[in-house]
Amino acid sequence: MEWIPLVKASYGLTEENELLKSLRSGHLQGDGPSTKKVHRFFEDHYKIERALFTTSCTDALELSALLLDLKPGDEVIVPSYTFVSTANAFALRGAKIVFADSRPDHPNVSMDCIRKLITPRTRAVVPVHYAGFACEMDELMKLAEQKNFIVIADAAQAIESTHQGRPTIAWGHMSTLSFHQTKNVSCGEGGMLIVNDKRFSLRAEILREKGTNRAAFFRGEVDKYNCVDMGSSYLASDLLAGVLWGQLQRLPELQSARHKIWKTYAEKLAPLADKVELPKLLPNTEHNAHCYYLVCKNLSERTRLNQFLKDRQIGATFHYISLHKSPYYGPKHDGRELPQSDRYTDGLLRLPLFPTMTDAEVNHVVDSIKAFFS
Ligand SMILES: *Cc1c(COP(=O)(O)O)cnc(C)c1O
């Protein structure tokens, strides 16, 4: 058996053709013909107010943070068990980062924990839809209304998943997607700011375009474009939008391949449920087969399992390391214990999952895990 990587993006002729179309159009800068197709796809398919293609999810988060106009002392609540950008995007704008713990039964952030952390200085809460499982957005949006804060969902992993029957990315005042090579749909590097609350639409467009009303100018709404706000450059090249548009045309094919593998893992590993924690399906959310993971009892068991799988050519990998204990955020953290975040830091192991993974490869992973626990 050859080495089985954790993830492998699948690009084919559709992506090649769309990339060439973008190149030959001569419009390589941002917001060209391919970007327009990508925007329209998201706005129509997921019924969202505004989609803005960006250079990464990190940049989409930074753009959302700019829109908040944060003042010194403003607090932003983020899970500790997440990718660094969820916190850094807001720290860059001077926010005080307040870390929330995960749920005992799922790596997603705990609503009980968030409730306890809300203060009059809370300006935003940034839930992360881990492995494409939506957080309790209905509860969180109710709380946001009562306590007057903004919800920006880090939906980097959540394309195509749903919450209460609606696309997960349509929840929150804003949400952000990633098209990094490791995600369900990718163009190498790329992201998107989804604006669900109309109040932010126009300004998001302006801040993304270096603080100018250039987009309105190109639509013929103003007769010259000018510097109307602060801002930066968050547009990605139309070449990347071409690759992404190719991927989006293959979305049903890519997703069904992923779901088939996820289901096989779930069915064949179910007998191990008393030996190792398996992903819990949550009510009110349909996941998107982004990632299949196990949660081992402790770090030592995970290290042994990881090595056992490596010896069998399987590229399983752990995931995040609690941000509240990181060299940067550790000294700034208020000292609260976040035991669930630490438990996933030590115990969680992701299994290989990508659209072109063969049945033989999936079975080899399953058999190897069973061998370890027998
Ligand atoms: C991948 C990921 C990011 C970063 O995405 P980029 O497009 O690489 O910036 C942020 N948050 C989460 C939860 C992610 O999974």
Side-chain angles (χ1 to χ4, degrees):
M1 183 76 57
E2 301 233 332
W3 178 253
I4 308 172
L6 181 72
V7 289
K8 187 156 70 181
S10 152
Y11 302 122
L13 279 178
T14 316
E15 289 85 342
E16 279 179 29
N17 284 334
E18 293 298 343
L19 175 62
L20 269 180
K21 264 195 236 166
S22 286
L23 183 62
R24 288 175 179 155
S25 78
H27 188 124
L28 274 59
Q29 72 263 43
D31 282 347
S34 297
T35 305
K36 290 203 171 79
K37 285 180 199 156
V38 165
H39 285 172
R40 200 171 314 127
F41 174 87
F42 275 87
E43 288 163 6
D44 294 349
H45 186 67
Y46 300 110
K47 300 195 172 49
I48 50 169
E49 166 68 18
R50 195 81 175 87
L52 293 166
F53 185 43
T54 60
T55 31
S56 65
C57 178
T58 301
D59 271 348
L61 285 164
E62 287 184 20
L63 177 52
S64 76
L66 274 179
L67 285 161
L68 293 180
D69 280 326
L70 294 165
K71 312 268 181 308
D74 283 350
E75 297 170 2
V76 175
I77 300 174
V78 313
S80 177
Y81 192 71
T82 185
F83 188 64
V84 293
S85 300
T86 318
N88 277 349
F90 300 91
L92 265 175
R93 301 262 70 83
K96 176 169 182 247
I97 305 298
V98 179
F99 290 107
D101 205 1
S102 293
R103 294 166 57 140
D105 60 350
H106 197 278
N108 273 352
V109 69
S110 152
M111 270 305 295
D112 291 341
C113 186
I114 287 177
R115 268 194 200 91
K116 290 183 194 130
L117 296 175
I118 304 287
T119 73
R121 311 225 61 165
T122 304
R123 291 290 317 285
V125 174
V126 190
V128 177
H129 306 303
Y130 187 79
F133 287 89
C135 297
E136 296 149 280
M137 295 304 286
D138 41 355
E139 294 289 311
L140 186 56
M141 295 313 289
K142 268 183 231 153
L143 193 63
E145 182 105 351
Q146 282 164 16
K147 305 283 183 182
N148 197 29
F149 59 80
I150 298 297
V151 175
I152 297 158
D154 181 341
Q157 307 171 11
I159 190 170
E160 283 283 294
S161 88
T162 63
H163 175 64
Q164 311 268 28
R166 266 172 64 199
T168 302
I169 61 170
W171 287 86
H173 298 99
M174 292 177 260
S175 70
T176 63
L177 278 161
S178 173
F179 306 117
H180 184 264
Q181 181 116 20
T182 51
K183 308 299 201 254
N184 289 32
V185 167
S186 67
C187 59
E189 299 276 358
M192 184 164 281
L193 178 69
I194 306 280
V195 181
N196 294 317
D197 184 324
K198 280 193 179 64
R199 282 179 298 168
F200 296 107
S201 287
L202 182 61
R203 193 154 181 250
E205 186 180 274
I206 288 167
L207 301 198
R208 173 172 169 271
E209 263 281 23
K210 299 103 182 160
T212 72
N213 54 351
R214 190 164 145 164
F217 172 70
F218 284 127
R219 285 196 300 265
E221 293 166 12
V222 291
D223 59 7
K224 56 183 180 306
Y225 81 82
N226 209 333
C227 180
V228 294
D229 207 324
M230 60 157 184
S232 190
S233 182
Y234 296 110
L235 289 77
S237 166
D238 213 52
L239 291 174
L240 290 171
V243 176
L244 182 59
W245 174 232
Q247 286 263 287
L248 291 170
Q249 289 170 59
R250 292 179 55 220
L251 190 56
E253 168 203 334
L254 293 171
Q255 281 302 102
S256 76
R258 280 184 170 275
H259 277 290
K260 184 167 167 265
I261 298 162
W262 206 99
K263 254 184 87 194
T264 306
Y265 276 143
E267 281 165 16
K268 298 202 169 171
L269 294 173
L272 294 182
D274 55 341
K275 297 204 168 72
V276 65
E277 199 177 312
L278 305 172
K280 181 183 162 139
L281 296 175
L282 301 175
N284 301 327
T285 173
E286 298 282 343
H287 70 89
N288 61 353
H290 173 62
C291 155
Y292 194 92
Y293 60 89
L294 309 172
V295 188
C296 296
K297 271 199 277 300
N298 49 41
L299 181 59
S300 128
E301 185 185 68
R302 184 187 68 188
T303 306
R304 281 183 289 116
L305 174 59
N306 203 2
Q307 189 57 52
F308 187 88
L309 296 177
K310 270 209 176 72
D311 294 342
R312 282 154 189 78
Q313 302 286 81
I314 297 166
T317 312
F318 56 87
H319 213 174
Y320 306 124
I321 300 174
S322 286
L323 284 177
H324 74 286
K325 289 190 171 166
S326 63
Y328 181 71
Y329 286 106
K332 299 175 174 61
H333 179 60
D334 54 28
R336 275 173 303 117
E337 292 288 332
L338 304 175
Q340 297 305 332
S341 176
D342 293 345
R343 193 169 75 80
Y344 298 115
T345 296
D346 290 347
L348 192 141
L349 191 70
R350 292 178 290 162
L351 304 183
L353 201 169
F354 48 90
T356 52
M357 197 174 174
T358 64
D359 291 348
E361 287 173 326
V362 179
N363 288 334
H364 177 62
V365 176
V366 168
D367 293 343
S368 303
I369 292 167
K370 285 186 167 163
F372 178 83
F373 283 104
S374 71

